[in-house]
Amino acid sequence: MSRSTKETSILDRNILKQRSDQVSLSAFSYIYSELVQYHQSRVSNISELEEKLASAGYGVGFKVLELLAYRSRENKRETRIMSILQFISSIAWKALFGKAADSLERSIDHADEYMIFDYNPVTSIYVSAHQSAADAYISGVIAGILEGAGFTATVSAHAVQLEEGESRRSSIGLPVKKDKAVFLVKFSPQILERDTTLER
Amino acid sequence: MNKQESPLLFLIVGRNEPLYSSEFISNQKPTSDSITRQHYFVMHSALDLVDKFAFTYPQMYLKTVDKVNHQMVSVFLTASHVKFMVLHSGKGDDVLKQFFMEVYELYVKLSMNPFYQFDTHITSKDFDDRVRVLGMRYLL
């Protein structure tokens, strides 16, 4: 009897949201720690490590943007700064990390800077030092999404002290985190200009 | 005299250059019906108009952006600004929209391949075959 060899190409796969899309935290952490260790042995300082991790996330950003825009079935593109940032902090964050980002704020001192907060980003749950270096991967993803949508921006990860009254998130068995991660998004001047002309 | 069917050209354009192109010719006569350089020129000149609409019109399907003599250029612009462009003469809006939606689905699935880098030439034979089937079904 002939064995039916059904070759399914990737162009046949279903890309709408499925249960099998979820990946365990340990699987992700193992692979990600390998990625970080691989780069750590090949760079000479921490900012180079951040650059390498950010460029690893950059390509992911473009693809995430296309996939999530397709899944939303709205056939619309984001054209304003606020709407693309809201897309990133709610839809993209939920698809990537299972929950929306903790907050999105506009900087008071600089008109071109915005901040996305996350109390415990998945890339640095098990990192004890240089938390913001490990989060550079997520900055890369954000930068990729923005560049793909036509908003050139530089994104960097920082760790800021938790303020009074803010709940401290921690994973089971790990010490309580003292900082929250903030992703600083700085748009280039042409993008701000374009956004203000669109407002009129 | 038979009405001349103008050829159809479908291009996928990235940031700097076309990533994929395919031609659909209804009658197989290789005479004046073939795709000429002028067709590519018309597509190229329509790019400026696409950029103009990119941020003022939030829909992905931009309908007909340019009209030169009897030829029209219709464009579908994805979330990451990849342009699907069709050069045609008088195809209906809904037919074109269905074609674009099907190609969009194929493109998103193709870009899920981790080995496919964004904004590079599309060399997948499978993708090419499927787009041709769609073109035959919707555009001819």
Side-chain angles (χ1 to χ4, degrees):
Chain A
M1 302 294 108
S2 62
R3 187 165 53 95
S4 64
T5 45
K6 199 168 152 215
E7 281 181 29
T8 47
S9 104
I10 60 162
L11 296 174
D12 283 320
R13 285 177 64 168
N14 185 0
I15 50 174
L16 297 174
K17 200 168 167 61
Q18 290 170 357
R19 297 283 310 250
S20 55
D21 281 350
Q22 291 185 329
V23 169
S24 70
L25 178 62
S26 37
F28 174 76
S29 303
Y30 275 120
I31 289 185
Y32 189 66
S33 91
E34 259 319 298
L35 179 72
V36 175
Q37 285 174 54
Y38 175 84
H39 286 305
Q40 248 183 331
S41 57
R42 282 164 175 78
V43 294
S44 40
N45 54 50
I46 209 140
S47 44
E48 262 186 58
L49 175 66
E50 285 187 8
E51 270 172 54
K52 297 255 181 199
L53 290 174
S55 62
Y58 192 66
V60 175
F62 286 99
K63 308 205 170 181
V64 160
L65 173 64
E66 280 284 12
L67 180 67
L68 295 178
Y70 174 80
R71 277 185 183 169
S72 77
R73 297 237 136 254
E74 273 176 6
N75 296 330
K76 276 181 138 101
R77 281 168 293 105
E78 310 295 343
T79 51
R80 308 296 313 279
I81 286 184
M82 270 322 279
S83 53
I84 188 73
L85 286 171
Q86 274 163 353
F87 171 83
I88 293 176
S89 59
S90 56
I91 301 175
W93 230 258
K94 252 189 232 154
L96 292 168
F97 311 123
K99 61 173 182 58
D102 293 304
S103 71
L104 166 67
E105 286 172 20
R106 186 176 185 164
S107 158
I108 308 167
D109 312 315
H110 305 271
D112 55 350
E113 286 179 2
Y114 292 79
M115 297 165 290
I116 299 178
F117 291 91
D118 193 328
Y119 288 123
N120 207 2
V122 74
T123 45
S124 56
I125 289 182
Y126 299 111
V127 175
S128 50
H130 294 295
Q131 174 194 340
S132 46
D135 293 333
Y137 183 78
I138 301 182
S139 323
V141 176
I142 299 175
I145 297 178
L146 287 170
E147 184 66 43
F151 297 84
T152 319
T154 46
V155 186
S156 48
H158 306 272
V160 287
Q161 287 265 297
L162 280 165
E163 285 142 39
E164 287 289 321
E166 273 185 324
S167 61
R168 283 145 200 248
R169 315 278 170 87
S170 69
S171 314
I172 301 167
L174 291 171
V176 177
K177 287 226 162 182
K178 289 195 220 68
D179 318 309
K180 58 186 173 185
V182 57
F183 297 97
L184 188 65
V185 181
K186 194 179 172 74
F187 290 99
S188 43
Q190 310 97 293
I191 309 298
L192 285 165
E193 254 184 64
R194 188 182 69 199
D195 205 53
T196 41
T197 44
L198 281 176
E199 208 165 302
R200 283 191 233 109
Chain B
M1 275 257 260
N2 290 339
K3 176 167 177 280
Q4 278 219 332
E5 282 276 350
S6 105
L8 290 154
L9 175 59
F10 170 62
L11 282 182
I12 298 183
V13 182
R15 297 300 162 96
N16 298 319
E17 52 172 5
L19 308 177
Y20 173 81
S21 76
S22 85
E23 303 159 5
F24 304 106
I25 307 170
S26 54
N27 34 12
Q28 296 300 314
K29 289 199 287 285
T31 53
S32 58
D33 277 8
S34 53
I35 301 276
T36 61
R37 271 196 285 273
Q38 203 210 2
H39 295 113
Y40 283 92
F41 182 76
V42 169
M43 289 286 232
H44 193 266
S45 63
L47 286 176
D48 277 336
L49 287 158
V50 176
D51 285 337
K52 195 176 94 171
F53 289 130
F55 284 94
T56 50
Y57 194 65
Q59 302 290 333
M60 282 188 183
Y61 180 43
L62 297 180
K63 301 194 190 158
T64 306
V65 299
D66 197 15
K67 202 167 144 81
V68 174
N69 302 330
H70 61 285
Q71 289 179 324
M72 307 195 286
V73 179
S74 296
V75 177
F76 182 94
L77 190 61
T78 69
S80 52
H81 290 259
V82 171
K83 309 166 185 65
F84 299 161
M85 306 172 75
V86 172
L87 180 75
H88 63 97
S89 48
K91 279 274 172 288
D93 256 354
D94 31 339
V95 171
L96 279 169
K97 187 167 190 192
Q98 279 178 311
F99 173 72
F100 279 132
M101 293 301 291
E102 300 255 5
V103 178
Y104 180 43
E105 187 176 336
L106 284 177
Y107 176 76
V108 176
K109 290 183 184 181
L110 176 87
S111 68
M112 285 300 106
N113 179 355
F115 294 110
Y116 173 70
Q117 203 187 10
F118 177 75
D119 210 20
T120 50
H121 283 267
I122 295 176
T123 52
S124 156
K125 180 92 181 35
D126 197 9
F127 182 82
D128 187 33
D129 291 338
R130 285 170 202 245
V131 169
R132 282 182 191 287
V133 166
L134 287 174
M136 294 292 155
R137 195 192 318 162
Y138 288 106
L139 298 178
L140 289 176

